[in-house]
Amino acid sequence: MNSSVRSFLSRGITAGLLGLGILALGGCVYQLGSSLPRDLKTAYVPTFVNKCGEPQAETRATSAAIAEFQKDGTLRVVKSAAQADLVVDVTLIKCKLDPVSFERNDPGTTKEYRLVLGAEVVVTKTKDKQLLTKKTVEGEATFAAGSDLSTSKRSALSPAATDLAHKIIESVVEAW
């Protein structure tokens, strides 16, 4: 067989395999954006309930969640339940410090902590009060142990609240 025929056959086989691959993938569907039903466009996010005992955790976490909803853009945040398609009720249920690393020369001294903020998220439709999702999510942040642990912990609260807010948005938007 001469080289031009071999080259022609090789290109034909390659093109045929490529075509088969495209046809096979044609049945696969990937959806960009939200899978929320079209009638759900707005959300009301009341101030979170603080049952974790950390002062001001509800304020920081609520603000972070509203900011994340706005950044995500899937649902528009409104100022009252009467204006909303969904109500996102969140109760902070855990604020826990876990030691992450210790001083090399003094294994009894914590060098770094992880702040874990846990929440129960309940999403309901405002029209018929239908429960759409109920989940527990956690956000976290690590921080260096300073000379004043309570100040260091407070500084980690905002990043933990932001991480929690991101997971709340995921649980609401990706619940479908």
Side-chain angles (χ1 to χ4, degrees), residues 121-164:
V121 180
V122 178
V123 182
T124 53
K125 276 176 117 176
T126 53
K127 267 186 189 172
D128 56 8
K129 306 291 186 222
Q130 177 188 1
L131 176 66
L132 297 177
T133 188
K134 182 177 182 178
K135 290 186 176 181
T136 302
V137 295
E138 291 184 346
E140 62 182 55
T142 42
F143 64 95
S147 58
D148 181 10
L149 183 60
S150 62
T151 301
S152 299
K153 182 179 169 185
R154 274 195 305 277
S155 70
L157 189 55
S158 287
T162 299
D163 187 45
L164 176 68

Side-chain angles (χ1 to χ4, degrees), residues 17-66:
L17 289 174
L18 182 61
L20 282 174
I22 290 171
L23 284 174
L25 289 174
C28 299
V29 177
Y30 181 77
Q31 179 179 352
L32 291 174
S34 171
S35 59
L36 282 171
R38 292 186 184 268
D39 63 327
L40 303 178
K41 296 178 180 159
T42 57
Y44 173 58
V45 183
T47 302
F48 294 1
V49 175
N50 186 350
K51 290 189 178 176
C52 74
E54 182 63 34
Q56 298 299 310
E58 75 281 2
T59 309
R60 291 188 189 188
T62 304
S63 296
I66 290 170

